[in-house]
Amino acid sequence: MIRVFLLDDHEVVRRGVAALLNGEDDIEVIGEAGTAESAVARITALRPDVAVLDVRLPDGNGVEVCREVRSRLPELACLMLTSYADDDALFDAVMA
């Protein structure tokens, strides 16, 4: 079972992604957050296999969250979620 954590500041996006992922037999959404600050604390506590991170957040960004949680949980895989076509954000996400 792959355990997934979702970070997005829009609840409707989190609900939609969670519904899609929970519909799969081998994936379980184990936690969600709407802010970078709460995501770092919850991801560290829950220790998911994968974190799906919104790139743009009101209190930071998913790239910063990725760097922070991977410094604590190097085995964590991070996927960036964005609707923006931003080459700088893409490069930062890959490097994180």
Side-chain angles (χ1 to χ4, degrees), residues 3 8 10-13 17 24-26 31 33 37 39 41 45 47 49-50 60 68-69 74 76 80 83-84 89 96:
R3 300 167 347 112
D8 197 291
H10 295 97
E11 184 177 353
V12 71
V13 172
V17 173
E24 298 296 320
D25 293 335
D26 58 346
E37 182 180 357
R47 303 181 70 84
D49 301 305
V50 177
E68 178 66 27
V69 296
L76 177 69
M80 298 297 169
S83 61
Y84 297 97

Side-chain angles (χ1 to χ4, degrees), residues 5 17 20-21 33 43 51 53 60-61 73 78-79 82 87 91:
F5 186 92
V17 173
L20 286 171
L21 294 176
I43 291 169
L53 309 172
N61 64 65
L73 305 170
C78 293
L79 295 173
T82 186
D87 289 341
F91 178 77

